[in-house]
Amino acid sequence: MPSAFFVVRATVPDAGKRAAFDRWYETEHLPDAVKVFGVAKAWRFWSLDDPSLHQAMYQFESEAALQAMLKGDALTQLVADFNRDWPDVTRTRELLVLAQEFGK
């Protein structure tokens, strides 16, 4: 089965809050998400084109594993924590399935 990915795009419009957001995501949110989602890999990105744009990507073993996470309580709690700590940061989510892996 191909891997599936959960991508969260967050817009942090206040440049003065980006360093704090970055620390929080690195030290709290990402480790919590990796643990409760049960994923082996996760990545975070800041856009070079738009400095307010942050993306996190979580790799699931399969689409079924991703769908199970979406139906569980873990995501609900992480979203509530995010909303509590970063109420002014908007987010979108995208679900992807691996079509092809090329290279290393």
Side-chain angles (χ1 to χ4, degrees):
M1 293 191 113
S3 295
F5 297 86
F6 181 57
V7 181
V8 180
R9 174 187 284 212
T11 303
V12 186
D14 185 343
K17 294 182 179 180
R18 290 183 197 144
F21 178 85
D22 199 43
R23 280 190 304 279
W24 174 82
Y25 218 105
E26 178 182 347
T27 62
E28 292 183 42
H29 194 67
L30 188 69
D32 289 348
V34 166
K35 181 179 176 182
V36 299
F37 291 167
V39 297
K41 290 184 178 182
W43 300 264
R44 291 188 325 114
F45 307 89
W46 282 103
S47 172
L48 294 174
D49 297 319
D50 178 354
S52 70
L53 180 59
H54 175 274
Q55 290 194 56
M57 181 181 293
Y58 305 90
Q59 181 178 1
F60 288 79
E61 291 181 8
S62 65
E63 187 177 347
L66 171 57
Q67 292 296 334
M69 179 280 294
L70 292 171
K71 294 176 184 172
D73 294 332
L75 180 60
T76 302
Q77 184 59 53
L78 285 171
V79 169
D81 292 346
F82 195 111
N83 291 340
R84 178 197 64 224
D85 293 342
W86 299 100
D88 298 331
V89 174
T90 59
R91 295 177 311 287
T92 61
R93 296 173 186 90
E94 189 171 4
L95 310 177
L96 305 172
V97 65
L98 183 65
Q100 179 182 9
E101 187 170 346
F102 184 80
K104 294 181 181 183

